[in-house]
Amino acid sequence: MQKIKSLMTRQGLKSPPESLSDLGAIESLRVPGKKLPPVLNLQELEEYRDKLKQQQAAVSKKVADLILEKQPAYVKELERVTSLQTGLQLAAVICTNGRRHLNIAKEGFTQASLGLLANQRKRQLLIGLLKSLRTIKTLQRTDVRLSEMLEEEDYPGAIQLCLECQKAASTFKHYSCISELNSKLQDTLEQIEEQLDVALSKICKNFDINHYTKVQQAYRLLGKTQTAMDQLHMHFTQAIHNTVFQVVLGYVELCSGNTDTKFQKLQYKDLCTHVTPDSYIPCLADLCKALWEVMLSYYRTMEWHEKHDSEDTPSASEGSNMGTEETNFDRGYIKKKLEHGLTRIWQDVQLKVKTYLLGTDLSIFKYDDFIFVLDIISRLMQVGEEFCGSKSEVLQESIRKQSVNYFKNYHRTRLDELRMFLENETWELCPVKSNFSILQLHEFKFMEQSRSPSVSPSKQPASTSSKTVTLFEQYCSDGNPFEIQANRKDEETEDVLASNGYESDEQEKSAYQEYDSDSDVPEELKRDYVDEQTGDAPVKSVSRETLKSRKKSDYSLNKVNAPILTNTTLNVIRLVGKYMQMMNILKPIAFDVIHFMSQLFDYYLYAIYTFFGRNDSLESTGLGLSSSRLRTTLNRIQESLIDMEVSADPTATLTAAEERKEKVPSPHLSHLVILTSGDTLYGLAERVVATESLVFLAEQFEFLQPHLDAVMPAVKKPFLQQFYSQTVSTASELRKPIYWIVAGKAIDYEQMLLLMANVKWDVKEIMSQHNIYVDALLKEFEQFNRRLNEVSKRVRIPLPVSNILWEHCIRLANRTIVEGYANVKKCSNEGRALMQLDFQQFLMKLEKLTDIRPIPDKEFVETYIKAYYLTENDMERWIKEHREYSTKQLTNLVNVCLGSHINKKARQKLLAAIDDIDRPKR
């Protein structure tokens, strides 16, 4: 309590008792309206006093608590005040010392020393003034240096110098002479920007990396990189227009023979119509060359930006964040602008070339010139696809319409020419070398030159497919993809024809030499017996003796195994090559071209059938010589391609007339081709040449199928598959009906029937000697063999052909034998045995003449002979199972052969069964 009182005393506070009067005063002040009562009551006063004491004690206690609470702050503040007092005392000392030193300094310096300092200050000011004057003098002479730098095309240096001069001028703007200089520098900077724009426009036709680098640096110093990119695209658009106009104008003025200014005033579209046909192709080539230069410049511009953006990225990251963001924004803008410009520029190029193409009717050009035009456009479309990934819809649609129209007319003319060739064809062998390939023909050279992009990727070499060099990469530094067109028409020599049937005298000698061992047998002959099988005539393996026995008479050995084809066949193959050239150059019309190619094959196939295979009696034989697929194909060709009308019907509708325009009249065989002479086996040589040339043509189409499949649109591929499965594959099936006509006339089957009719079959004893008709038939086959050898001296007869001929002849002979047996009126058991003897003798002698195994229709004859020995029940079942025999043959078997050992009722039952079998055929 004493501490509190002492603390209060130090702070100027009174003790509670001492301050009671003050409290009363305060209380009276708080209750100013309260007055003492007139009569004082001691007790009340004491109570009031006690109350005040309690209040005083409470207040004193609260005050003491507050004092104790604020004690640390008080101590701290007291210490700060003490520290401040000490500092003030130190400051007083310093001030005293400073005043003393100033007095000393004032007394130590003289007026002369201050004069020296003033002169030094003036000297420094004069030096600065001299420097400023020299700078102003340099600024006055800057325009000369700027002109020199602009002549040297040092645009970044000129702009840098100009900007530095402007900065310096702003420093000395307080000089009156600088205001005029500032205006002059601004004019100079605008002049530099104009020259810079001109320099930028030069990039569009001939990109120079150093030149473009300077221009970009200059625009970057100006802070106008985005503006530069906008201007660049405008210059490219203008360059395309000016380039094509100047190229076309040059040719128009050159061909017109004067330099009349009227052409310069024409619109580009109208100017294109004045290009003459003679100058059309050179003008188109130069047009594409010029456009290539513009597109290449744009391509190299993009390359420059990609390269420099990647190089500048690290340095940009070192700068400030704001500068980096601005730089990245500029790069993004330039990148988007360049990417968008690709499509825009290519669209402009397409429109200019399309306008040029529409200026002239392409139908006036010859085929080679038209292909040349397509080749240029195809190369341009390839450039466009590599340039911006566009499919060149504008050019494709334009050239497709003109190509289809041109090709329809061209194809129609070629079909008429083909009909003329076929009607004048004598079906003589066209001598070609044994290693002949269609790729040796000039029309197919493009397949070897452009094999990688044309065929499917699976056909390309691994090294080629792994990395493909684009035209821009190939001609980036030198050359032009359209310069190769100039030498495109140079004809290359073809070495496909042989001087005669043999390629050399050694081959002619070797074709007839003796073979004494298996190793001496030529591989070509071995392959003939294996690889050339068609399935039409099964042949057993050929023995060494057989080969030796036929070494001089074999139909395949008399000449080198060169392909069998005619001049017409070669002409069709050349046409196919030309068609494929157009298809390869312009893939959007691939379907139309392949459709026309199929018509060439269809017409050739139909002509061969019409000339050599049409015979109404063939189908009546029931041998199925023409498959249902072949008949369907021939009917389709006749309905869709062959004009069967002799003359136009004036009442026909317009649609019918249009349909007839798409058709070709049926061809007629030349009167020089004789098919009725037995000495030539009824024109067998001509039939072989014609039929095998068709088979060879089908083989070439098979060879070309992968190439056609690669370019055919996916939605049209079913047509291609149908063409190959239903038409091309049926070519070899024509052999049967064509050679059947020869086989039907080569052997005198009617004479054999007459000889068989004179034979007595109801003999009573078993004969040991065969009948004379067998020898007569074998002589017919020997004569057929000799004639076949004679024909083979003119034309090589392939093994499948000789097999089919022998098969047909043997089949007809066997069926004639059965027919002869069916004509027998009376026959005994011994007579039936004689039939077996005759047939076995015929087979034994026949097997020495031919290698056909098994003998065709051998079972047909043997089964018929053996049927004589069947019982009644077995015979009824046999009749139902063997429907290959005619009603006449079955009836004769029942009446004549079985009549001797069955009763009448059984005979009637069997005849009724035969009638039931025959009824559905009627």
Side-chain angles (χ1 to χ4, degrees):
M1 192 65 184
Q2 291 299 327
K3 289 182 178 180
I4 294 175
K5 288 182 178 180
S6 64
L7 181 59
M8 291 175 64
T9 302
R10 291 175 61 185
Q11 292 184 1
L13 298 176
K14 297 179 181 180
S15 60
E18 295 175 356
S19 59
L20 285 177
S21 59
D22 294 337
L23 288 174
I26 293 173
E27 187 66 24
S28 65
L29 289 174
R30 290 179 180 174
V31 191
K34 188 175 179 183
K35 296 180 181 181
L36 291 174
V39 181
L40 297 175
N41 187 342
L42 182 61
Q43 186 177 356
E44 289 179 356
L45 288 174
E46 289 179 351
E47 290 177 358
Y48 182 65
R49 186 192 63 186
D50 294 338
K51 180 180 179 181
L52 290 176
K53 285 182 178 181
Q54 291 177 356
Q55 291 178 351
Q56 181 187 16
V59 171
S60 298
K61 187 177 184 301
K62 182 64 176 178
V63 171
D65 291 340
L66 288 174
I67 291 172
L68 289 175
E69 182 181 348
K70 300 295 182 177
Q71 165 106 15
Y74 167 77
V75 174
K76 184 177 180 181
E77 183 64 20
L78 187 61
E79 290 176 353
R80 190 179 71 81
V81 170
T82 304
S83 175
L84 180 61
Q85 184 179 4
T86 305
L88 289 174
Q89 291 174 353
L90 180 61
V93 174
I94 292 173
C95 288
T96 303
N97 292 334
R99 287 177 179 178
R100 187 176 66 253
H101 287 111
L102 282 174
N103 289 328
I104 296 173
K106 182 176 178 182
E107 295 173 356
F109 282 103
T110 63
Q111 189 174 1
S113 299
L114 293 175
L116 288 175
L117 290 175
N119 291 335
Q120 178 65 22
R121 181 173 177 274
K122 289 181 180 179
R123 182 175 180 273
Q124 293 295 331
L125 291 174
L126 290 174
I127 290 174
L129 177 61
L130 181 61
K131 185 177 180 181
S132 298
L133 291 174
R134 287 175 178 173
T135 303
I136 293 173
K137 183 180 180 180
T138 304
L139 291 176
Q140 295 288 352
R141 297 179 180 178
T142 302
D143 56 341
V144 178
R145 179 55 185 157
L146 285 174
S147 299
E148 293 176 355
M149 297 179 77
L150 289 177
E151 290 179 2
E152 297 170 0
E153 295 185 346
D154 184 9
Y155 304 108
I159 292 176
Q160 184 70 35
L161 178 59
C162 191
L163 292 176
E164 289 176 357
C165 289
Q166 282 187 330
K167 185 178 180 181
S170 64
T171 304
F172 303 107
K173 62 183 178 181
H174 51 280
Y175 295 106
S176 59
C177 61
I178 290 300
S179 59
E180 182 182 351
L181 177 63
N182 219 350
S183 176
K184 187 177 180 180
L185 286 174
Q186 185 62 35
D187 294 339
T188 304
L189 188 61
E190 292 177 358
Q191 181 184 355
I192 292 174
E193 288 188 26
E194 291 176 1
Q195 294 194 24
L196 196 59
D197 189 61
V198 174
L200 185 65
S201 65
K202 295 179 181 179
I203 298 296
C204 301
K205 292 184 179 180
N206 185 16
F207 182 87
D208 181 80
I209 187 169
N210 294 325
H211 181 76
Y212 188 69
T213 301
K214 291 179 180 179
V215 171
Q216 281 296 320
Q217 288 176 351
Y219 274 111
R220 193 174 300 169
L221 289 172
L222 292 173
K224 296 183 177 181
T225 52
Q226 296 184 18
T227 304
M229 192 52 55
D230 296 337
Q231 288 294 111
L232 181 63
H233 280 80
M234 290 177 58
H235 289 313
F236 268 107
T237 302
Q238 190 66 28
I240 292 173
H241 175 75
N242 293 340
T243 298
V244 296
F245 188 86
Q246 291 300 323
V247 170
V248 176
L249 178 63
Y251 274 92
V252 171
E253 291 180 344
L254 179 65
C255 297
S256 64
N258 60 66
T259 57
D260 194 348
T261 57
K262 68 176 183 179
F263 292 122
Q264 298 178 3
K265 298 178 181 178
L266 293 176
Q267 294 291 328
Y268 173 71
K269 180 179 180 182
D270 300 326
L271 188 65
C272 291
T273 60
H274 289 79
V275 179
T276 62
D278 292 337
S279 62
Y280 185 85
I281 293 178
C283 181
L284 177 62
D286 286 346
L287 195 67
C288 291
K289 286 180 184 179
L291 291 172
W292 159 260
E293 296 295 338
V294 175
M295 296 170 71
L296 178 62
S297 295
Y298 195 89
Y299 174 82
R300 296 187 66 187
T301 301
M302 290 194 67
E303 269 193 338
W304 187 94
H305 281 279
E306 291 175 0
K307 179 180 178 181
H308 283 74
D309 284 351
S310 61
E311 290 178 354
D312 294 345
T313 300
S315 60
S317 63
E318 296 170 3
S320 63
N321 292 334
M322 185 178 296
T324 303
E325 290 178 2
E326 184 177 353
T327 303
N328 291 338
F329 178 78
D330 287 345
R331 287 176 182 169
Y333 178 85
I334 292 173
K335 183 178 180 181
K336 290 181 180 179
K337 191 75 175 178
L338 287 171
E339 290 175 351
H340 176 72
L342 285 171
T343 306
R344 178 182 171 185
I345 288 176
W346 175 235
Q347 286 295 112
D348 290 344
V349 170
Q350 287 188 89
L351 290 174
K352 296 300 181 184
V353 177
K354 176 186 176 182
T355 303
Y356 181 82
L357 292 174
L358 295 177
T360 303
D361 184 8
L362 298 182
S363 62
I364 64 175
F365 292 112
K366 296 180 180 179
Y367 181 81
D368 290 339
D369 291 336
F370 185 75
I371 287 293
F372 191 69
V373 171
L374 288 188
D375 199 10
I376 295 177
I377 300 301
S378 175
R379 182 59 62 95
L380 182 62
M381 288 193 292
Q382 182 183 352
V383 169
E385 187 170 352
E386 294 179 0
F387 184 68
C388 63
S390 171
K391 296 301 181 182
S392 311
E393 293 84 358
V394 177
L395 273 180
Q396 281 186 6
E397 186 62 25
S398 174
I399 201 66
R400 185 184 184 281
K401 290 180 179 179
Q402 297 194 59
S403 299
V404 171
N405 293 333
Y406 180 93
F407 200 62
K408 279 184 178 179
N409 297 330
Y410 179 81
H411 175 64
R412 175 65 200 191
T413 305
R414 301 290 80 76
L415 279 178
D416 291 336
E417 285 183 0
L418 178 57
R419 178 170 68 91
M420 180 187 69
F421 288 147
L422 289 169
E423 291 181 343
N424 291 277
E425 179 64 68
T426 57
W427 304 105
E428 294 291 336
L429 189 66
C430 177
V432 294
K433 294 187 175 183
S434 60
N435 63 346
F436 170 75
S437 169
I438 61 173
L439 296 180
Q440 298 169 350
L441 298 176
H442 176 72
E443 288 77 6
F444 289 90
K445 291 296 182 182
F446 75 94
M447 292 183 65
E448 295 181 349
Q449 295 170 354
S450 60
R451 186 168 290 268
S452 57
S454 302
V455 298
S456 59
S458 60
K459 301 292 182 182
Q460 299 180 17
S463 59
T464 304
S465 59
S466 61
K467 183 179 181 181
T468 302
V469 179
T470 65
L471 293 175
F472 286 95
E473 294 172 345
Q474 184 177 354
Y475 299 101
C476 183
S477 58
D478 188 27
N480 192 302
F482 299 96
E483 290 177 353
I484 61 173
Q485 307 295 334
N487 302 323
R488 182 68 180 271
K489 291 185 178 180
D490 294 344
E491 295 290 335
E492 299 183 14
T493 57
E494 294 178 346
D495 186 20
V496 297
L497 298 179
S499 58
N500 49 49
Y502 305 94
E503 297 181 32
S504 64
D505 294 337
E506 289 74 12
Q507 290 177 340
E508 185 172 3
K509 292 178 182 179
S510 64
Y512 293 100
Q513 66 182 355
E514 297 288 340
Y515 303 108
D516 297 324
S517 65
D518 286 339
S519 61
D520 292 331
V521 179
E523 292 297 326
E524 291 82 3
L525 184 58
K526 292 180 180 179
R527 287 197 298 271
D528 278 347
Y529 280 96
V530 180
D531 296 339
E532 292 189 20
Q533 287 295 342
T534 62
D536 296 333
V539 183
K540 71 176 185 180
S541 60
V542 184
S543 64
R544 172 175 173 272
E545 289 74 15
T546 302
L547 292 174
K548 288 181 65 178
S549 66
R550 298 182 60 186
K551 57 182 176 268
K552 287 188 178 181
S553 60
D554 191 287
Y555 318 121
S556 298
L557 277 180
N558 62 344
K559 290 182 181 290
V560 175
N561 287 343
I564 297 177
L565 66 159
T566 66
N567 288 326
T568 302
T569 317
L570 201 57
N571 189 45
V572 172
I573 293 175
R574 291 185 185 276
L575 274 179
V576 170
K578 289 183 176 181
Y579 284 23
M580 291 185 65
Q581 282 182 22
M582 177 174 285
M583 178 180 62
N584 187 68
I585 292 172
L586 197 61
K587 293 179 176 60
I589 66 168
F591 171 72
D592 302 278
V593 176
I594 292 177
H595 174 65
F596 292 147
M597 284 173 56
S598 69
Q599 288 187 346
L600 292 177
F601 187 86
D602 288 347
Y603 195 71
Y604 194 87
L605 183 146
Y606 186 83
I608 300 300
Y609 171 76
T610 304
F611 293 167
F612 303 105
R614 176 173 286 174
N615 192 328
D616 296 336
S617 63
L618 287 180
E619 299 305 326
S620 62
T621 61
L623 298 178
L625 297 174
S626 298
S627 65
S628 59
R629 184 175 63 164
L630 177 59
R631 291 194 298 272
T632 301
T633 298
L634 293 170
N635 290 335
R636 176 188 60 79
I637 296 174
Q638 182 170 310
E639 292 174 1
S640 62
L641 187 61
I642 306 302
D643 183 7
M644 304 303 294
E645 300 289 336
V646 178
S647 60
D649 184 2
T651 63
T653 62
L654 181 62
T655 304
E658 290 295 327
E659 289 179 355
R660 288 197 60 203
K661 285 184 180 180
E662 303 294 329
K663 296 185 177 182
V664 190
S666 179
H668 302 286
L669 183 64
S670 172
H671 66 279
L672 299 176
V673 180
I674 308 300
L675 302 179
T676 57
S677 174
D679 295 336
T680 61
L681 275 179
Y682 306 95
L684 178 60
E686 289 79 3
R687 294 176 190 272
V688 170
V689 171
T691 309
E692 299 312 304
S693 69
L694 173 64
V695 173
F696 177 78
L697 184 61
E699 291 172 353
Q700 305 317 303
F701 269 84
E702 293 283 357
F703 170 74
L704 296 173
Q705 184 178 3
H707 185 90
L708 300 179
D709 189 68
V711 298
M712 176 67 96
V715 295
K716 299 294 184 180
K717 285 189 177 182
F719 167 81
L720 185 65
Q721 296 170 356
Q722 183 180 12
F723 168 65
Y724 272 93
S725 62
Q726 298 185 8
T727 305
V728 177
S729 61
T730 60
S732 60
E733 295 181 12
L734 272 181
R735 285 169 169 167
K736 278 191 173 184
I738 290 176
Y739 297 133
W740 176 270
I741 297 175
V742 176
K745 297 178 180 179
I747 307 294
D748 192 350
Y749 304 104
E750 295 296 329
Q751 179 64 26
M752 188 176 68
L753 285 175
L754 293 175
L755 292 175
M756 292 179 70
N758 295 328
V759 176
K760 185 178 181 181
W761 299 102
D762 56 347
V763 294
K764 301 300 181 182
E765 57 183 13
I766 296 178
M767 306 296 290
S768 60
Q769 181 63 33
H770 61 273
N771 286 300
I772 191 174
Y773 76 87
V774 176
D775 296 328
L777 181 58
L778 289 171
K779 286 182 180 180
E780 289 283 335
F781 273 100
E782 290 173 355
Q783 184 180 6
F784 169 73
N785 192 28
R786 286 193 298 271
R787 290 177 177 175
L788 208 56
N789 277 306
E790 290 298 323
V791 173
S792 68
K793 294 178 181 179
R794 288 181 54 197
V795 178
R796 177 177 67 88
I797 301 178
L799 184 62
V801 175
S802 63
N803 285 344
I804 290 176
L805 284 168
W806 277 99
E807 177 190 358
H808 284 343
C809 289
I810 295 172
R811 193 182 300 278
L812 283 170
N814 285 336
R815 290 181 177 268
T816 303
I817 290 175
V818 172
E819 188 65 21
Y821 293 161
N823 292 333
V824 174
K825 303 299 182 183
K826 294 181 180 180
C827 182
S828 60
N829 290 338
E830 291 77 8
R832 187 63 65 176
L834 181 58
M835 291 180 182
Q836 287 185 333
L837 175 63
D838 291 344
F839 186 63
Q840 292 302 320
Q841 178 67 19
F842 169 69
L843 291 178
M844 182 180 65
K845 296 292 186 181
L846 182 64
E847 287 177 350
K848 295 180 180 180
L849 294 176
T850 180
D851 296 301
I852 296 288
R853 300 293 184 276
I855 297 297
D857 281 353
K858 173 183 175 183
E859 293 80 4
F860 184 79
V861 180
E862 291 178 340
T863 303
Y864 188 80
I865 296 174
K866 294 175 181 178
Y868 174 79
Y869 303 104
L870 296 176
T871 62
E872 174 187 345
N873 294 332
D874 293 338
M875 188 63 190
E876 184 176 1
R877 184 175 66 255
W878 185 91
I879 289 173
K880 293 179 180 179
E881 293 174 354
H882 293 79
R883 300 190 178 188
E884 65 271 19
Y885 298 101
S886 66
T887 302
K888 174 189 173 183
Q889 293 168 351
L890 294 174
T891 302
N892 179 272
L893 189 63
V894 172
N895 289 332
V896 178
C897 301
L898 301 180
S900 58
H901 59 272
I902 61 174
N903 55 38
K904 185 177 181 180
K905 183 178 180 181
R907 186 183 302 116
Q908 292 299 327
K909 182 179 179 182
L910 292 174
L911 292 175
I914 295 172
D915 188 64
D916 292 340
I917 294 174
D918 185 59
R919 189 175 292 114
K921 300 178 183 178
R922 297 173 188 171

